[in-house]
Each structure stands twice: as C-alpha cells, then as structure tokens.
Amino acid sequence: MKQKLALFLSVFLLVQFSPAQENLAPVKKDRFEKLPVKVKLSGKITDAKTGEPLPGAYVYFTDDKIGTSADAAGLYILTNIPPGHHVVEISFTGYSTLVEHIGIHADMQKDFALSPVIVENQGVIITGVSGATSIRKTPVPITSVKRTSLLQIPSANIIDALSHVPGVSQLSTGPAISKPIIRGLGYNRVVTVNDGIRQEGQQWGDEHGIEIDEMSVNKVEILKGPASLMYGSDALAGVVNFITNVPAPEGTVRGNILTNYQSNSRLSGNNINLAGNKNGFNWNVYGSLKSAGDYKNKYDGRVLNSRFNEKNAGGYFGLNKGWGYTHLIFSHFDQHVGLVEGDRDDATGKFLVYAGTTRERIASDADLSSRKLWVPNQRVQHYKLVSENNIAIRNTRLKLNLGFQDNQRYEFGNIDNPSEKSLFFDLKTFNYNLQWQLPEFKEWHTTLGVNGMQQNNRNKGLEVLIPEYGLFDIGGFVYFQRFYKKGTLSGGLRFDNRSVDSKAFYEGSIEKFKAFTRNFSNISGSLGLSYEPTDRVTVKVNIARGFRAPALAELASNGTHEGTNRYEYGTRDLKSETSLQLDGGIDLDYEHFSMAISAFYNRIHDFVFYRKLESVFGGDSLVNTGGDYIPAFVFNQHHATLGGLEFSLDIHPHPIHWLHFENNFSFVRGRFDQLLDGVKPGSDRLPLIPAPKWSSELRADIKKLGKSFRNFYASFEGEKTFKQDHYFSGYDTETGTKGYFLLNAGLGSDIMNHKKKTIFSLHLGMMNIGNIAWQNHLSRLKYAAENRVTGRTGVFNAGRNFSVKLNIPLEFKLK
C-alpha cells in the first residue's frame, strides 16, 4: 500500500507541476488575478434557417445551475454569472441542442441560432468529468436521455426505458424491480448517482432496485466504461446518473403535473413538481404516487404477487449568486413490492397462495385482481439529505458535496405474522466530495479532488444474511482536460483505500459470523482523446483502469436470501476486482444519415461471481431451513475478459428530415480464462451476459402540425432479441434462453392554445403489440418453478401493454 501511495503521489506531482509541452510558458502570476465578482450574458436566440425568434428557448449553465428562457422576441439575459470558463447549453423543443465552451470575464452579448432537430446527439454532461462538458468532447461513450425522450418511450419503468440505449440492459424481477446492466456488468459494478451523490442501498442483491423517484427524473446520463477515476470503487462497468432537480429561470415559477396509466398491470402513476426562483433564492418540490396490480402475459395469466406501490417526495432549496450557489437537497423513497415465488398447483397449473404451508390454496380471481401484497414481500425506504455547494474564488472553483443516506430494507416472510420483519437491513451512509478546479492555463483545465464515504450497516430483523459492518472509503485524484482546436485530451490518476470492519454474530451459542477486517487499495486512471476533424465527424479513444472492492455479501454471507430462494455463502479471502478497458468509437453526422460505432475490450482480474455449490454426493448442495430445502450458492472469483460493440444508424433523407429510420445493435461476450466446472462446455462463460439485440424504428418527428399540434411524433419499432446460447452452464447455474421479436409503437404531441402556449402533452404507447410470450435472459423470474401442466419453466415477461401519459406544464412569472 505504501508503494502504491508513493507512486500515486509521484505521478500526481509530475502531472501537476511539469510543463505539459515544450513551448508552454511558465505559470504567470496572474493565474489567480482578481476578476469581477459577477458578469452578465445577454443576446437573442433565433431559428438558424428563418431568423425568427424562438420564445421559450432555454439557456443553461450546468456547472452554475442557472438558466433563463427567451422572451417573446427571443431575447435572453443572465446575471449572477461567476467569471471564467463556462459550458453553455441552449435548447428548445424540436431543435438540436447547441453547446458552446466560452470564456466570460466581463459582461458579454452573444446570439445563438438553433437548427431544427435531425438527430439529437449534442448536449452537456456532468458524469465522469470534474465540470460540465459537451458530449462530443468526452473520450468515453456517454449517452444523455432527456425528460422528453423518457416521456415518449413506452416502458414498464425507467431502467426498462434506458435499456433502449445500445449497450444497456436490465436485470429484472417483475416490472417493479430493475437493475441496470452496462456492457454485461451490473450490481456493484455500476454506480448509480442521484442529484450529485452516489446512491447507496443494498445494491448487491437481485431484488434491490435503484430506489429513486422515476417520475421526477429530468435527465439521465449513462457512462459506459470504467469510471473509477472520479467515483472510486464500484464504477467498474460505468455510471447511471439521474438528475432530478433543475432550477427554474429567474423570476419564474414552473412545474408540471404528470399522470401515467398502463393497462397490463393497471398501473396508475401521478406526479406533481413545482420550482421557483426569485432574486437567486430557488426551490423545487415534488411528490409521486404509484400503484400497480399483478402484470399478465399470454402463458401465465396474471402473475401472483407482482404488484407494488410507491410514495415518494423530495426537492431542494438554495441560493444562487455571483459567488456560486449552495443547495440543500432532500428526498424520501418508499416502495412496497410483492416477491414472486411462482409456485403452481400440479393439477391445474394455477399459482398458489402460501405455497408449501398448511394454508396453501389456489389463487382465486379475486386474489389476482387485488392490490394487497401477499407474503413474501418487501418494503424499501430511502432517506437522503445532501448539501451541494459550488463557490467561485477568483478564477478558481471549489465544490463541496456532503450527503447523508439511510436505506432501510424490510423483508416479510411469515404468513402467520405478516408484519414480522424476517430481514431488516439498516444502512447509513455519509458521502463527501471535495473538488478544487484550478485556474485555466494554456487551455489546460485541472481539478484536484478527494471523495469517499463512511457506512454502517445494522441487522434488525429476525434472520441475519450478512454481518453488521462498518466501512470507510477515501480516494484522492487529479483530473485534467486540454482543449485543442479539433480535439480534447482528458485523463487523470487516483488512489483509493477502503477499510471494512465486519462484526461477529452468534445465534445462541453458535458463532455464525466471525469478526474480521479487510483493507483494499488501488491506483486507477484513464487517458483519452476526442478528435473532431470536421463538424460532422468525431473520433474517440480511451483507456481506463477500474476497481471494485468485494461487497460484504460476497465476503461474508451466511444465510437464506428469501427474495432469491438461495442460501448464500461468502468467501472472506476475495481480492479486489481490477480491470483495464480500451474503448474506441466514431460518430458521423451528415445531412442524410447519422452513424455511431463503439467497440470495447475489457480485461478483468479476479472477477467475482456466485455459483451453485455441489454436494459431496453429487447434484446440488441443499440447505435445510426449517423444513424447506433450498440450493446453496458460494462466491468465487477468476480472471475474465469481455468484449463487444454498439452500432447505431439513423437514416433521415433530405428533404424529408422529419422521417427517421433508426437502427441499433448491441453485442457483448464474456469468458473466464478456463473451464470452471471440470470439462463441462460453457462453464468458461461469464454469467448474466445479455443476448445480442437489434432494433429498428420508423419514426416521424414533425415540429408543427396544423395550428394546435407541436412536436408531433409517431413511431413503430421492431425489437429482435436473439437467443442466448452462450450462458454460464457451470454448476447448472444458468440455462439458455430463446430469442423473441417484439413490436412497439408510440404517438404523441404538445397541444397548443391560440397564444401558442402548450396546454398539455399527450403520449400514447403500445408495448408488445403482438402479445408475444417471451423471457428475457436477465429476468430472475425465468428460474421460477416448472409448471407441471404445461411443462414450461419459470414465469414469462409482460404481455401487451397500453400506456397513456398526460403531462400538464405549469408556469407563471413572479412580480
């Protein structure tokens, strides 16, 4: 560890204080010269072709979290801007987002011209970088999904919607629980960020979702590839960043009322959001209610106990001035979910209520139509409080984020006492992130930072799956960007150390968990180039080293995991996972078509996975849990390699740019270095690798349709998921999955009044039009018990589903 620390400090000092190139001038004394306290930016926003003003076009400074809308003449003005380098995003529905890097050191006037949207591949991102950056200037593959797109995509949940992004999949347990999988990796290998801090719950578990309010999300950024440089341990596969709170323009109160109904599960979702800004004091509040019954499909009918409900609330309040901003963010997530067991009656094939108990019976129609949660079920409550601060000090910037999270997960499994907590994890996390952006020097932008977290997990239920523990995590890093005329060089180095203190636990006189401590340290880094030879071509290449310390469940599990029907054994001597990934890609954006190709190669040392434990007598090892025998699983690790590619092609022929033929393809394969189950074929393949997928969508996007319709769209999509016959067959852990073809459609528009203001937006969607019976390879319900009547194994995914979303915008000016 001392050698790693010494190496990190040596390279850190070399990068920070050595000349970047031979002709670079020495550091001038005026790098820290005193600048004006605040500056102003004003101008006009117009249509690039017609020159007409664009009332309502939005100008936003992401790093400063300030923005404004253009007035009826297209004029805008922004005050309270800290002087220095800024990334400005100008957006308007129906037009391509414009992104510019500009230096503002005094009051400035600047006009912007927007072009009607052909393909939206621009925008500002904040994920994996120290400051706001345009997508084209980041060397790693990043996708930004805005709220308008989330409203238009018909989906069961937000992760389902994001799975339309090439390279992104979902591990699901019914419609309520979905976890992101990026390029074949998930769980603790993907960091979820929500409003500035990493979301910390029990994400090591199969039946633990992302635990945020989906209906309040304004934007999602997906980074594909190791991001340990900025996020430390766990960002081995990438980052999914959910952005909820966006300040309203100065002197404005704006918000929306959103409602969603889905026919398959009879889901009803309602959300209200309201934000205001007056003299720099700004605030936002939101709340959501969701309720769903059991979903249904062609083979299973209604799937017993796939129902759920949610009650969520949150917001922030803060102050934005010329010196920067300070915001206090708060949220509460409360979800109740039924856990599908899938047991059926041998004679009829119908689902059983209270299977395996003296109260076992066939589920009636009333049972299946009810929204009451059956045992087993779970409840997750997530409380979060974040202090977000960004202060401009002369021509430097200091960022400080402090967060507290309390994740409480209850699992109920006693039919005689439904309120009895079989499992109760209480995880408290304190997050911290301090960054200092140094003054710009010869187009070099350098940031020093330290971040990490402190955790304590307590067991308060009757059963104990993992021991109580304490964790402290700290990492220091240097990040740099160098802007050239046609390219951007980005990279940095980081050192991490994670300390884990696991507590002993006795069941009566028997020691179930032994006390132990472990320390994990690592050096991470990345280096990449984004090259723009022309305005229409972007070439990206990046190499990065990732890091993930084993989770406590992997180190020390010893108990029944009711939600997964597994008895899990941890392995205390697991090592950290480390990866070295090479990414390369090219984006082309021409008048008649747009195309993007991205490929990666990822070498992972000490990849951690769980497998079935074999009995010494042959077959599966079974554990007696009070009369029930369930299979035992154990955590192992081995070296592995992943590789794959993503491809996108959008054909939009001139002069009918409103017509799009969009095509996407994703492919990933993963292998261990050798066979792990004797000579059994397929036991060298990584588990939970998504099947290859191709989708084609014919789409019409019409900016104006008559007097009353704006931003009209109509889409028809075919989605082909190929069979997955490259599965992890070792120890009979996985089985193959058949391919399937689904048809989806969407239709929607903004409805305008005579003053050209949006009254409401209506979004109609139809998923699985053909009502196909299908099973996704990453669906956990695929491994439910066999239906003895039909001979089919597992529970199938949702059948035909009609979705209606109604969004009513709210806005008025403050005097």
Side-chain angles (χ1 to χ4, degrees):
M1 176 177 170
K2 291 182 179 179
Q3 291 178 340
K4 290 182 179 179
L5 181 59
L7 176 61
F8 171 77
L9 292 175
S10 299
V11 178
F12 169 83
L13 294 172
L14 181 64
V15 172
Q16 180 59 27
F17 297 108
S18 296
Q21 50 192 25
E22 292 183 4
N23 62 347
L24 201 64
V27 178
K28 297 182 180 180
K29 294 182 179 179
D30 62 355
R31 284 185 70 188
F32 295 90
E33 65 181 344
K34 188 173 182 179
L35 295 173
V37 175
K38 58 183 179 180
V39 293
K40 178 176 67 176
L41 179 69
S42 59
K44 188 174 184 178
I45 306 174
T46 58
D47 185 303
K49 290 187 176 180
T50 66
E52 294 180 357
L54 297 178
Y58 197 56
V59 183
Y60 189 62
F61 285 60
T62 303
D63 269 342
D64 304 284
K65 294 197 173 182
I66 55 175
T68 191
S69 298
D71 62 17
L75 300 175
Y76 76 92
I77 183 169
L78 262 174
T79 58
N80 288 332
I81 303 173
H85 177 271
H86 295 275
V87 181
V88 186
E89 183 177 37
I90 304 93
S91 59
F92 189 57
T93 305
Y95 288 78
S96 295
T97 300
L98 181 64
V99 179
E100 290 201 15
H101 288 247
I102 59 176
I104 307 176
H105 303 286
D107 291 351
M108 176 185 289
Q109 182 170 341
K110 188 170 181 62
D111 298 334
F112 299 104
L114 301 182
S115 300
V117 65
I118 298 176
V119 176
E120 182 61 276
N121 59 359
Q122 280 283 8
V124 173
I125 55 92
I126 58 173
T127 307
V129 292
S130 62
T133 306
S134 67
I135 291 177
R136 293 191 68 183
K137 295 185 181 298
T138 57
V140 296
I142 294 182
T143 301
S144 175
V145 183
K146 296 184 178 180
R147 184 176 178 86
T148 51
S149 296
L150 293 173
L151 290 174
Q152 293 178 9
I153 299 173
S155 60
N157 56 61
I158 196 168
I159 300 299
D160 184 33
L162 298 181
S163 68
H164 289 255
V165 175
V168 180
S169 308
Q170 59 173 325
L171 177 76
S172 64
T173 310
I177 303 173
S178 290
K179 303 168 72 70
I181 303 290
I182 298 179
R183 291 176 163 177
L185 299 175
Y187 293 89
N188 285 63
R189 298 180 183 96
V190 174
V191 166
T192 299
V193 178
N194 184 213
D195 282 330
I197 65 169
R198 54 188 287 169
Q199 189 90 351
E200 286 295 319
Q202 309 290 348
Q203 59 262 38
W204 48 267
D206 291 337
E207 74 282 16
H208 308 158
I210 56 173
E211 297 162 4
I212 65 169
D213 183 10
E214 301 177 352
M215 299 188 75
S216 296
V217 172
N218 273 286
K219 180 182 177 183
V220 186
E221 297 177 0
I222 305 167
L223 184 153
K224 293 179 283 189
S228 296
L229 171 61
M230 300 302 295
Y231 299 96
S233 176
D234 303 347
L236 198 76
V239 179
V240 183
N241 187 359
F242 297 92
I243 299 168
T244 300
N245 297 292
V246 177
E250 170 64 37
T252 302
V253 171
R254 63 166 47 172
N256 69 281
I257 299 173
L258 173 64
T259 184
N260 178 214
Y261 174 78
Q262 297 187 17
S263 63
N264 187 283
S265 63
R266 298 163 295 143
L267 179 143
S268 173
N270 298 281
N271 168 267
I272 184 168
N273 180 88
L274 203 61
N277 192 339
K278 180 66 174 177
N279 297 326
F281 177 76
N282 51 94
W283 51 270
N284 181 53
V285 291
Y286 63 83
S288 297
L289 294 173
K290 292 174 72 174
S291 174
D294 293 336
Y295 80 89
K296 62 182 179 179
N297 62 58
K298 181 178 179 180
Y299 286 162
D300 301 309
R302 293 218 172 268
V303 177
L304 181 68
N305 213 27
S306 58
R307 58 201 69 178
F308 69 95
N309 61 75
E310 286 183 21
K311 298 176 182 178
N312 310 316
Y316 84 97
F317 59 89
L319 191 64
N320 287 58
K321 292 293 183 181
W323 46 262
Y325 66 83
T326 178
H327 293 164
L328 186 65
I329 303 169
F330 52 91
S331 65
H332 176 225
F333 174 89
D334 189 358
Q335 182 188 62
H336 297 244
V337 184
L339 298 176
V340 177
E341 293 186 302
D343 295 306
R344 310 172 204 245
D345 178 61
D346 289 345
T348 64
K350 295 184 177 180
F351 287 108
L352 293 173
V353 178
Y354 303 140
T357 72
T358 57
R359 295 168 59 183
E360 176 182 293
R361 60 180 175 83
I362 296 174
S364 66
D365 290 341
D367 293 332
L368 292 168
S369 63
S370 169
R371 300 195 180 212
K372 169 191 172 185
L373 298 182
W374 297 100
V375 172
N377 63 77
Q378 71 174 14
R379 181 182 185 184
V380 178
Q381 291 184 294
H382 192 93
Y383 302 87
K384 183 166 59 179
L385 186 66
V386 180
S387 174
E388 183 181 38
N389 307 276
N390 190 320
I391 302 172
I393 305 174
R394 294 189 176 181
N395 51 350
T396 72
R397 188 184 294 268
L398 189 68
K399 297 181 179 180
L400 175 63
N401 288 3
L402 302 174
F404 172 77
Q405 303 176 71
D406 187 3
N407 185 274
Q408 300 177 5
R409 179 179 175 272
Y410 316 84
E411 196 166 288
F412 305 95
N414 187 347
I415 63 171
D416 296 318
N417 185 6
S419 62
E420 179 183 271
K421 301 177 181 66
S422 300
L423 289 175
F424 180 7
F425 300 112
D426 188 1
L427 177 66
K428 292 180 170 60
T429 304
F430 173 74
N431 303 83
Y432 61 94
N433 182 14
L434 177 64
Q435 296 183 20
W436 183 29
Q437 293 182 357
L438 299 179
E440 175 189 340
F441 179 62
K442 297 288 185 179
E443 296 296 330
W444 285 89
H445 298 256
T446 306
T447 299
L448 310 179
V450 58
N451 56 29
M453 62 182 176
Q454 186 271 333
Q455 285 187 338
N456 281 288
N457 190 71
R458 295 293 177 262
N459 292 310
K460 299 180 179 180
L462 294 179
E463 302 172 13
V464 178
L465 174 61
I466 61 174
E468 297 186 341
Y469 68 91
L471 178 151
F472 183 72
D473 188 88
I474 187 169
F477 66 89
V478 55
Y479 176 85
F480 66 85
Q481 286 181 306
R482 172 61 165 92
F483 295 102
Y484 296 92
K485 184 177 181 180
K486 291 188 176 183
T488 304
L489 182 69
S490 305
L493 282 173
R494 179 187 180 101
F495 176 80
D496 278 287
N497 187 72
R498 173 172 288 187
S499 300
V500 178
D501 180 15
S502 182
K503 312 298 183 183
F505 177 77
Y506 288 84
E507 284 187 343
S509 59
I510 301 175
E511 186 179 38
K512 184 173 184 177
F513 298 107
K514 291 183 179 294
F516 68 89
T517 59
R518 291 289 306 273
N519 284 284
F520 304 93
S521 59
N522 181 73
I523 291 179
S524 305
S526 72
L527 183 64
L529 175 68
S530 177
Y531 176 57
E532 304 170 53
T534 71
D535 290 341
R536 299 184 180 276
V537 179
T538 305
V539 180
K540 298 184 178 185
V541 62
N542 191 76
I543 186 169
R545 175 180 165 89
F547 155 68
R548 185 183 78 90
L552 245 292
E554 296 165 335
L555 292 169
S557 289
N558 184 7
T560 305
H561 203 172
E562 297 286 355
T564 61
N565 195 36
R566 294 198 303 257
Y567 195 99
E568 297 180 353
Y569 292 103
T571 304
R572 196 181 308 168
D573 59 355
L574 293 176
K575 301 176 183 178
S576 294
E577 292 179 346
T578 58
S579 72
L580 186 65
Q581 179 164 317
L582 178 65
D583 284 279
I586 183 169
D587 294 340
L588 307 176
D589 187 7
Y590 288 93
E591 184 178 16
H592 302 294
F593 74 93
S594 299
M595 185 173 69
I597 303 174
S598 180
F600 73 96
Y601 174 84
N602 190 3
R603 176 63 175 170
I604 302 180
H605 285 267
D606 300 308
F607 181 89
V608 178
F609 63 101
Y610 65 77
R611 64 170 178 84
K612 283 185 177 179
L613 192 61
E614 289 182 300
S615 170
V616 294
F617 304 106
D620 296 338
S621 176
L622 302 176
V623 179
N624 187 340
T625 59
D628 293 328
Y629 288 86
I630 63 175
F633 286 73
V634 65
F635 288 95
N636 282 21
Q637 61 184 167
H638 208 279
H639 301 333
T641 302
L642 289 96
L645 61 89
E646 294 103 35
F647 170 79
S648 298
L649 174 64
D650 184 348
I651 301 172
H652 39 82
H654 182 76
I656 49 175
H657 286 318
W658 53 267
L659 182 65
H660 297 259
F661 182 48
E662 300 177 5
N663 303 270
N664 296 299
F665 176 69
S666 300
F667 174 86
V668 61
R669 283 283 186 264
R671 284 187 177 273
F672 293 110
D673 284 1
Q674 64 185 52
L675 295 170
L676 301 184
D677 186 6
V679 294
K680 187 173 185 178
S683 64
D684 60 342
R685 297 166 182 156
L686 261 64
L688 298 175
I689 297 296
K693 185 172 71 171
W694 177 281
S695 66
S696 293
E697 181 184 65
L698 189 63
R699 181 182 179 90
D701 282 306
I702 303 175
K703 188 172 62 173
K704 294 182 181 180
L705 187 63
K707 295 182 179 180
S708 300
F709 299 94
R710 294 292 184 274
N711 305 310
F712 172 87
Y713 69 91
S715 64
F716 186 75
E717 178 194 44
E719 183 181 290
K720 171 61 178 178
T721 300
F722 297 86
K723 66 179 180 179
Q724 181 55 290
D725 52 8
H726 286 69
Y727 57 91
F728 179 52
S729 63
Y731 318 103
D732 297 323
T733 301
E734 284 189 334
T735 60
T737 308
K738 295 180 180 179
Y740 52 89
F741 182 74
L742 303 179
L743 293 175
N744 309 306
L747 179 72
S749 179
D750 297 335
I751 312 301
M752 317 297 288
N753 62 17
H754 66 282
K755 296 181 180 180
K756 298 182 179 182
K757 295 286 187 180
T758 301
I759 306 173
F760 63 88
S761 300
L762 183 64
H763 306 274
L764 308 177
M766 180 74 79
M767 295 159 278
N768 191 4
I769 295 173
N771 198 30
I772 299 298
W774 59 288
Q775 286 181 321
N776 188 284
H777 185 66
L778 300 184
S779 170
R780 290 184 51 250
L781 300 185
K782 171 178 176 281
Y783 296 98
E786 177 188 355
N787 185 333
R788 297 293 180 85
V789 175
T790 64
R792 302 186 187 102
T793 299
V795 174
F796 284 72
N797 292 79
R800 184 185 297 115
N801 187 16
F802 179 65
S803 171
V804 182
K805 297 177 184 176
L806 178 67
N807 188 59
I808 304 173
L810 307 170
E811 182 170 349
F812 56 90
K813 298 293 183 180
L814 295 173
K815 296 181 179 180

